[in-house]
Structure formats: structure tokens, C-alpha cells
Amino acid sequence: MWPSTWLPFLYPPPASVYVAAMSAVSLLSMANAGLAELRGNHMAYSKFWHVVAAGAGGGKQRQRGGGGGALLKSRDGMLVAYAPALAAAAASFAVPGAVEGARAQILSAALAVHFLKRVLEVLFVHRYSGSMPLDTAVTIGTSYLLSTVTMIYAQHLSHGLPDPPVDLLYPGVVVFAVGIAGNFYHHYLLSRLRADGGGGDKGYKIPRGGLFELVTCPHYLFEITGFFGFAMIGQTVYALAVATGTAAYLAGRSCATRRWYESKFEEFPARIKALVPFLL
């Protein structure tokens, strides 16, 4: 029995060892991944993988999750990463009793929209010029799949409980919508940058437009916003743990990205922060 002083914006943690363990593992593993990014030990994808694969950076850059195995085209790798979570979120509506009540339905729908957007961006928006290790794609895909399934399951376990005193469901929908719209817009700006002559591993440019005038990774800032939208919609401990872990990981990756731009472009503006305008 949880005390009355339990956080008023969360459901009490369910009596589930699995959800409790996944909450701790998700938060700690993603926070650790963020620290690894700060130390230069990068997940093997995006520009950092290309730097490592080409032997650039004088050996200072390291990569995780790329043990020299099979390689996929970057587009195929990202589909492997996102499609399973999309399938799980969509399939949850077909599982009897899995999605009960408006809050659970909205959460599952938001998860489906999030990963559908990612798949559509991979197919029609992003421009790729490299490869991704198969084991990296599988690792990312498994992580997204587990977090999606567990978020839906944690929500299922809260069904029938009194809503938290502070109801964040509909504000959470607004926050999620802002996050997904802002993330898409800045992904579009990045894709236009490559379309205007930034193709190839050596064709990176300093992004312009939108919040790129203030931070190097506004797409990450809005992705974090979207994940806190999930947490506000669901109001479960697990959803909050995932959002917090995601923020920690993407903060580390944003700082690493800014450092990468500084090393590559002598004229990189000092006023541009990594993630949060004027602050970080």
C-alpha cells in the first residue's frame, strides 16, 4: 500500500517485478549511454559511425554496438530499428483487454503515431549516405520494442485505479503534439541541407533555420518533449523513467554533436548551445 504522500501526478507503481526492473534498467541504461556519448564512446550510427569507420579523429572517437559484423544500408538499418515498435503499438489494439480506457487508447495511439512518423521519415524524408552495423540496428530496435510494449503493459496495470489527483492526460497530448511537430520540422530542415549539396560523408554543413540558430540538436529537444508527452499521457512510473532516460541520453548525444561540429567547422558560432537555447 503506497502512502498518501505518493507523487500526485503518477499512478502508484504496480505490483510487477518486471515493470519495476524495466523502469530502473531503462533509466540507468540510457543515462549511462548518455555519459558514454559525452566520453566519445558513440553508438554506431549517424555521423559518428562514419567517422569511426573511416578512421577519422585520430583514434579519439570510439563506437559501441558495431563489432565488425554485417552492415546494412543506413535506411534499412533504421527501418529495422523502428518498424517492430510500430507493429507492437498498432497490434496492441487487436489484443483483447490490452488497451482499456481512454488514457490507454491515447497512449497506444501516440506511440503508433510516433513510430509511424519515424518510419515515414526514413522512407521519404531523411537522406542517407552510409551504413549501419546489423547488431546496432537490432539493439536499437529491440530497445524501442521493449519500451513500447512495457509502456503499454504498465498502462494496462493501472486500469481500474483512481486517476492521479493531478490529471495530465490532455496537457500531455498537447506536449506530445508539439514534440512530434517540432521534431519533424527540424528533420525536414536537415534533409533539405543534404539535398542542397550536403550529401556524402564529407558533405556535412552547419544546419540553419528554426531552432538550429540556437542549438545544434533541436530535433533531439523536441524528441525529448514528445517522450515527456508520453509520460504525461500515461502518468506511470515506467513512462516517466523512459522519458527521463531519453532526456539523459539525448543530452549527452547533443553535447557530443556540438563538440563534433566545433571540431569540423572553425567558424562554428559559440552562441549556439547543444540542446536547450541559452542554457545547455
Side-chain angles (χ1 to χ4, degrees), residues 135-178:
D135 58 354
T136 297
V138 171
T139 297
I140 296 172
T142 300
S143 174
Y144 283 139
L145 175 62
L146 282 175
S147 65
T148 298
V149 170
T150 305
M151 202 177 299
I152 292 170
Y153 178 59
Q155 201 66 51
H156 169 74
L157 294 179
S158 72
H159 181 67
L161 297 176
D163 286 335
V166 179
D167 189 348
L168 299 177
L169 172 58
Y170 293 109
V173 172
V174 174
V175 170
F176 168 73
V178 170

Short mmCIF file of all heavy atoms in Angstrom, two decimals, residues 135-178:
data_model
loop_
_atom_site.label_atom_id
_atom_site.label_comp_id
_atom_site.label_asym_id
_atom_site.label_seq_id
_atom_site.Cartn_x
_atom_site.Cartn_y
_atom_site.Cartn_z
N ASP A 135 24.02 -5.41 -35.92
CA ASP A 135 23.79 -5.58 -34.48
C ASP A 135 23.35 -4.28 -33.83
O ASP A 135 22.57 -4.28 -32.87
CB ASP A 135 25.01 -6.18 -33.78
CG ASP A 135 26.28 -5.36 -33.95
OD1 ASP A 135 26.26 -4.37 -34.71
OD2 ASP A 135 27.29 -5.72 -33.33
N THR A 136 23.80 -3.13 -34.35
CA THR A 136 23.32 -1.86 -33.83
C THR A 136 21.84 -1.68 -34.12
O THR A 136 21.07 -1.28 -33.25
CB THR A 136 24.11 -0.70 -34.46
OG1 THR A 136 25.48 -0.80 -34.08
CG2 THR A 136 23.56 0.65 -34.01
N ALA A 137 21.43 -1.97 -35.36
CA ALA A 137 20.02 -1.84 -35.73
C ALA A 137 19.15 -2.74 -34.87
O ALA A 137 18.08 -2.33 -34.41
CB ALA A 137 19.85 -2.17 -37.21
N VAL A 138 19.60 -3.98 -34.66
CA VAL A 138 18.83 -4.92 -33.85
C VAL A 138 18.77 -4.46 -32.39
O VAL A 138 17.72 -4.55 -31.74
CB VAL A 138 19.44 -6.34 -33.96
CG1 VAL A 138 18.78 -7.28 -32.95
CG2 VAL A 138 19.26 -6.87 -35.39
N THR A 139 19.87 -3.95 -31.87
CA THR A 139 19.90 -3.46 -30.49
C THR A 139 18.93 -2.31 -30.29
O THR A 139 18.14 -2.28 -29.33
CB THR A 139 21.32 -3.01 -30.10
OG1 THR A 139 22.20 -4.14 -30.17
CG2 THR A 139 21.35 -2.43 -28.69
N ILE A 140 18.96 -1.33 -31.21
CA ILE A 140 18.05 -0.19 -31.11
C ILE A 140 16.61 -0.64 -31.27
O ILE A 140 15.71 -0.23 -30.52
CB ILE A 140 18.41 0.87 -32.16
CG1 ILE A 140 19.81 1.44 -31.90
CG2 ILE A 140 17.38 2.00 -32.15
CD1 ILE A 140 20.30 2.36 -33.00
N GLY A 141 16.36 -1.51 -32.26
CA GLY A 141 15.01 -2.00 -32.49
C GLY A 141 14.45 -2.76 -31.31
O GLY A 141 13.28 -2.60 -30.94
N THR A 142 15.28 -3.59 -30.68
CA THR A 142 14.84 -4.34 -29.50
C THR A 142 14.52 -3.40 -28.35
O THR A 142 13.54 -3.59 -27.63
CB THR A 142 15.93 -5.34 -29.08
OG1 THR A 142 16.19 -6.25 -30.17
CG2 THR A 142 15.50 -6.13 -27.86
N SER A 143 15.35 -2.36 -28.17
CA SER A 143 15.12 -1.40 -27.10
C SER A 143 13.80 -0.67 -27.30
O SER A 143 12.99 -0.54 -26.36
CB SER A 143 16.28 -0.40 -27.06
OG SER A 143 16.03 0.63 -26.13
N TYR A 144 13.56 -0.19 -28.51
CA TYR A 144 12.30 0.50 -28.78
C TYR A 144 11.10 -0.43 -28.62
O TYR A 144 10.05 -0.04 -28.10
CB TYR A 144 12.30 1.09 -30.19
CG TYR A 144 13.10 2.35 -30.34
CD1 TYR A 144 13.90 2.56 -31.47
CD2 TYR A 144 13.05 3.36 -29.39
CE1 TYR A 144 14.63 3.73 -31.63
CE2 TYR A 144 13.77 4.53 -29.54
CZ TYR A 144 14.56 4.71 -30.66
OH TYR A 144 15.28 5.87 -30.81
N LEU A 145 11.25 -1.66 -29.07
CA LEU A 145 10.16 -2.63 -28.96
C LEU A 145 9.83 -2.89 -27.50
O LEU A 145 8.65 -2.86 -27.09
CB LEU A 145 10.54 -3.92 -29.67
CG LEU A 145 9.54 -5.08 -29.54
CD1 LEU A 145 8.20 -4.72 -30.16
CD2 LEU A 145 10.12 -6.34 -30.20
N LEU A 146 10.85 -3.16 -26.69
CA LEU A 146 10.62 -3.46 -25.27
C LEU A 146 10.01 -2.26 -24.55
O LEU A 146 9.10 -2.42 -23.73
CB LEU A 146 11.93 -3.87 -24.61
CG LEU A 146 12.41 -5.29 -24.86
CD1 LEU A 146 13.79 -5.50 -24.23
CD2 LEU A 146 11.42 -6.30 -24.31
N SER A 147 10.51 -1.06 -24.84
CA SER A 147 9.98 0.11 -24.15
C SER A 147 8.53 0.37 -24.54
O SER A 147 7.70 0.74 -23.69
CB SER A 147 10.84 1.34 -24.44
OG SER A 147 10.78 1.70 -25.80
N THR A 148 8.19 0.14 -25.81
CA THR A 148 6.81 0.33 -26.25
C THR A 148 5.87 -0.68 -25.60
O THR A 148 4.82 -0.31 -25.05
CB THR A 148 6.73 0.20 -27.78
OG1 THR A 148 7.54 1.23 -28.38
CG2 THR A 148 5.30 0.33 -28.27
N VAL A 149 6.25 -1.94 -25.64
CA VAL A 149 5.42 -3.00 -25.05
C VAL A 149 5.27 -2.78 -23.55
O VAL A 149 4.17 -2.90 -22.98
CB VAL A 149 6.02 -4.38 -25.35
CG1 VAL A 149 5.32 -5.46 -24.54
CG2 VAL A 149 5.92 -4.69 -26.84
N THR A 150 6.37 -2.43 -22.88
CA THR A 150 6.32 -2.25 -21.43
C THR A 150 5.51 -1.02 -21.05
O THR A 150 4.79 -1.03 -20.04
CB THR A 150 7.74 -2.16 -20.86
OG1 THR A 150 8.50 -3.31 -21.27
CG2 THR A 150 7.71 -2.12 -19.33
N MET A 151 5.60 0.04 -21.84
CA MET A 151 4.80 1.23 -21.55
C MET A 151 3.31 0.92 -21.65
O MET A 151 2.50 1.35 -20.81
CB MET A 151 5.18 2.37 -22.49
CG MET A 151 4.81 3.75 -21.95
SD MET A 151 5.32 5.13 -23.02
CE MET A 151 7.10 4.91 -23.04
N ILE A 152 2.95 0.16 -22.67
CA ILE A 152 1.54 -0.22 -22.83
C ILE A 152 1.11 -1.17 -21.70
O ILE A 152 0.00 -1.04 -21.16
CB ILE A 152 1.33 -0.88 -24.21
CG1 ILE A 152 1.53 0.17 -25.32
CG2 ILE A 152 -0.05 -1.50 -24.32
CD1 ILE A 152 1.58 -0.41 -26.71
N TYR A 153 2.00 -2.08 -21.32
CA TYR A 153 1.68 -3.03 -20.25
C TYR A 153 1.54 -2.31 -18.91
O TYR A 153 0.62 -2.58 -18.13
CB TYR A 153 2.76 -4.10 -20.17
CG TYR A 153 2.56 -5.10 -19.07
CD1 TYR A 153 1.41 -5.89 -19.01
CD2 TYR A 153 3.52 -5.26 -18.07
CE1 TYR A 153 1.22 -6.81 -17.99
CE2 TYR A 153 3.35 -6.19 -17.06
CZ TYR A 153 2.19 -6.96 -17.02
OH TYR A 153 2.01 -7.88 -16.01
N ALA A 154 2.45 -1.38 -18.63
CA ALA A 154 2.36 -0.62 -17.38
C ALA A 154 1.06 0.17 -17.32
O ALA A 154 0.43 0.27 -16.26
CB ALA A 154 3.56 0.32 -17.25
N GLN A 155 0.63 0.70 -18.48
CA GLN A 155 -0.64 1.41 -18.52
C GLN A 155 -1.80 0.46 -18.27
O GLN A 155 -2.77 0.80 -17.58
CB GLN A 155 -0.81 2.09 -19.88
CG GLN A 155 -1.79 3.24 -19.87
CD GLN A 155 -1.27 4.38 -18.99
OE1 GLN A 155 -0.15 4.82 -19.16
NE2 GLN A 155 -2.09 4.84 -18.06
N HIS A 156 -1.71 -0.74 -18.82
CA HIS A 156 -2.74 -1.75 -18.61
C HIS A 156 -2.89 -2.08 -17.12
O HIS A 156 -4.01 -2.23 -16.61
CB HIS A 156 -2.39 -3.01 -19.40
CG HIS A 156 -3.22 -4.19 -19.06
ND1 HIS A 156 -4.54 -4.32 -19.48
CD2 HIS A 156 -2.94 -5.31 -18.32
CE1 HIS A 156 -5.03 -5.46 -19.02
NE2 HIS A 156 -4.09 -6.08 -18.32
N LEU A 157 -1.76 -2.16 -16.41
CA LEU A 157 -1.80 -2.48 -14.98
C LEU A 157 -2.43 -1.37 -14.15
O LEU A 157 -2.89 -1.61 -13.03
CB LEU A 157 -0.39 -2.78 -14.47
CG LEU A 157 0.29 -4.02 -15.04
CD1 LEU A 157 1.70 -4.18 -14.45
CD2 LEU A 157 -0.53 -5.29 -14.77
N SER A 158 -2.44 -0.15 -14.68
CA SER A 158 -3.05 0.96 -13.94
C SER A 158 -4.55 1.06 -14.16
O SER A 158 -5.22 1.86 -13.50
CB SER A 158 -2.39 2.29 -14.35
OG SER A 158 -2.78 2.67 -15.65
N HIS A 159 -5.09 0.27 -15.09
CA HIS A 159 -6.52 0.35 -15.39
C HIS A 159 -7.34 -0.03 -14.16
O HIS A 159 -7.05 -1.02 -13.48
CB HIS A 159 -6.87 -0.59 -16.54
CG HIS A 159 -8.32 -0.54 -16.92
ND1 HIS A 159 -8.90 0.57 -17.49
CD2 HIS A 159 -9.31 -1.47 -16.81
CE1 HIS A 159 -10.17 0.33 -17.72
NE2 HIS A 159 -10.45 -0.90 -17.31
N GLY A 160 -8.33 0.75 -13.87
CA GLY A 160 -9.19 0.49 -12.72
C GLY A 160 -8.76 1.24 -11.48
O GLY A 160 -9.54 1.34 -10.52
N LEU A 161 -7.53 1.76 -11.46
CA LEU A 161 -7.08 2.57 -10.33
C LEU A 161 -7.64 3.99 -10.45
O LEU A 161 -7.91 4.46 -11.55
CB LEU A 161 -5.55 2.63 -10.28
CG LEU A 161 -4.81 1.31 -10.06
CD1 LEU A 161 -3.30 1.56 -10.14
CD2 LEU A 161 -5.18 0.71 -8.71
N PRO A 162 -7.82 4.68 -9.33
CA PRO A 162 -8.24 6.09 -9.42
C PRO A 162 -7.19 6.91 -10.17
O PRO A 162 -5.99 6.67 -10.02
CB PRO A 162 -8.33 6.53 -7.95
CG PRO A 162 -8.46 5.25 -7.17
CD PRO A 162 -7.70 4.21 -7.94
N ASP A 163 -7.64 7.83 -10.99
CA ASP A 163 -6.69 8.69 -11.70
C ASP A 163 -5.87 9.49 -10.70
O ASP A 163 -6.35 9.82 -9.60
CB ASP A 163 -7.43 9.65 -12.63
CG ASP A 163 -7.96 8.95 -13.87
OD1 ASP A 163 -7.39 7.90 -14.25
OD2 ASP A 163 -8.94 9.44 -14.46
N PRO A 164 -4.63 9.82 -11.03
CA PRO A 164 -3.83 10.67 -10.14
C PRO A 164 -4.55 11.99 -9.87
O PRO A 164 -5.30 12.50 -10.73
CB PRO A 164 -2.54 10.89 -10.95
CG PRO A 164 -2.47 9.72 -11.89
CD PRO A 164 -3.89 9.40 -12.24
N PRO A 165 -4.37 12.56 -8.70
CA PRO A 165 -5.03 13.84 -8.38
C PRO A 165 -4.75 14.93 -9.40
O PRO A 165 -5.61 15.77 -9.67
CB PRO A 165 -4.44 14.20 -7.00
CG PRO A 165 -4.06 12.88 -6.41
CD PRO A 165 -3.60 12.03 -7.56
N VAL A 166 -3.54 14.95 -9.95
CA VAL A 166 -3.19 15.91 -10.99
C VAL A 166 -3.28 15.18 -12.33
O VAL A 166 -2.43 14.34 -12.65
CB VAL A 166 -1.77 16.48 -10.78
CG1 VAL A 166 -1.42 17.45 -11.90
CG2 VAL A 166 -1.67 17.17 -9.42
N ASP A 167 -4.31 15.48 -13.09
CA ASP A 167 -4.55 14.78 -14.35
C ASP A 167 -3.82 15.50 -15.48
O ASP A 167 -4.15 16.65 -15.82
CB ASP A 167 -6.05 14.72 -14.64
CG ASP A 167 -6.39 13.82 -15.82
OD1 ASP A 167 -5.47 13.41 -16.55
OD2 ASP A 167 -7.58 13.51 -16.01
N LEU A 168 -2.84 14.83 -16.09
CA LEU A 168 -2.02 15.43 -17.14
C LEU A 168 -2.33 14.85 -18.52
O LEU A 168 -1.58 15.10 -19.46
CB LEU A 168 -0.54 15.21 -16.82
CG LEU A 168 -0.03 15.83 -15.51
CD1 LEU A 168 1.44 15.47 -15.31
CD2 LEU A 168 -0.23 17.34 -15.51
N LEU A 169 -3.43 14.10 -18.65
CA LEU A 169 -3.71 13.42 -19.90
C LEU A 169 -3.76 14.38 -21.08
O LEU A 169 -3.00 14.24 -22.06
CB LEU A 169 -5.02 12.64 -19.79
CG LEU A 169 -5.54 12.01 -21.10
CD1 LEU A 169 -4.52 11.06 -21.70
CD2 LEU A 169 -6.87 11.29 -20.83
N TYR A 170 -4.65 15.34 -21.05
CA TYR A 170 -4.83 16.21 -22.21
C TYR A 170 -3.70 17.23 -22.38
O TYR A 170 -3.29 17.51 -23.52
CB TYR A 170 -6.21 16.84 -22.18
CG TYR A 170 -7.28 15.78 -22.36
CD1 TYR A 170 -8.10 15.39 -21.30
CD2 TYR A 170 -7.40 15.10 -23.57
CE1 TYR A 170 -9.04 14.38 -21.46
CE2 TYR A 170 -8.33 14.09 -23.74
CZ TYR A 170 -9.16 13.73 -22.68
OH TYR A 170 -10.07 12.71 -22.84
N PRO A 171 -3.14 17.79 -21.30
CA PRO A 171 -1.90 18.56 -21.49
C PRO A 171 -0.79 17.70 -22.12
O PRO A 171 0.00 18.19 -22.92
CB PRO A 171 -1.54 19.00 -20.07
CG PRO A 171 -2.84 19.06 -19.36
CD PRO A 171 -3.65 17.92 -19.91
N GLY A 172 -0.76 16.41 -21.75
CA GLY A 172 0.24 15.52 -22.34
C GLY A 172 0.05 15.35 -23.83
O GLY A 172 1.03 15.25 -24.58
N VAL A 173 -1.19 15.31 -24.28
CA VAL A 173 -1.46 15.21 -25.72
C VAL A 173 -0.90 16.44 -26.44
O VAL A 173 -0.29 16.33 -27.52
CB VAL A 173 -2.97 15.06 -25.99
CG1 VAL A 173 -3.27 15.15 -27.48
CG2 VAL A 173 -3.48 13.74 -25.43
N VAL A 174 -1.09 17.62 -25.83
CA VAL A 174 -0.57 18.85 -26.43
C VAL A 174 0.96 18.82 -26.47
O VAL A 174 1.58 19.16 -27.49
CB VAL A 174 -1.06 20.08 -25.65
CG1 VAL A 174 -0.41 21.36 -26.19
CG2 VAL A 174 -2.58 20.18 -25.73
N VAL A 175 1.59 18.41 -25.37
CA VAL A 175 3.05 18.34 -25.32
C VAL A 175 3.58 17.35 -26.35
O VAL A 175 4.56 17.61 -27.06
CB VAL A 175 3.51 17.97 -23.90
CG1 VAL A 175 5.02 17.65 -23.87
CG2 VAL A 175 3.21 19.10 -22.93
N PHE A 176 2.92 16.19 -26.47
CA PHE A 176 3.32 15.21 -27.47
C PHE A 176 3.21 15.78 -28.88
O PHE A 176 4.10 15.61 -29.71
CB PHE A 176 2.45 13.96 -27.34
CG PHE A 176 2.61 13.01 -28.50
CD1 PHE A 176 3.76 12.24 -28.64
CD2 PHE A 176 1.61 12.90 -29.46
CE1 PHE A 176 3.92 11.38 -29.72
CE2 PHE A 176 1.75 12.04 -30.54
CZ PHE A 176 2.91 11.28 -30.68
N ALA A 177 2.10 16.48 -29.16
CA ALA A 177 1.90 17.06 -30.48
C ALA A 177 2.97 18.09 -30.81
O ALA A 177 3.49 18.13 -31.93
CB ALA A 177 0.51 17.69 -30.58
N VAL A 178 3.33 18.94 -29.83
CA VAL A 178 4.40 19.91 -30.04
C VAL A 178 5.71 19.19 -30.31
O VAL A 178 6.48 19.57 -31.22
CB VAL A 178 4.53 20.83 -28.81
CG1 VAL A 178 5.80 21.68 -28.90
CG2 VAL A 178 3.30 21.73 -28.68
#
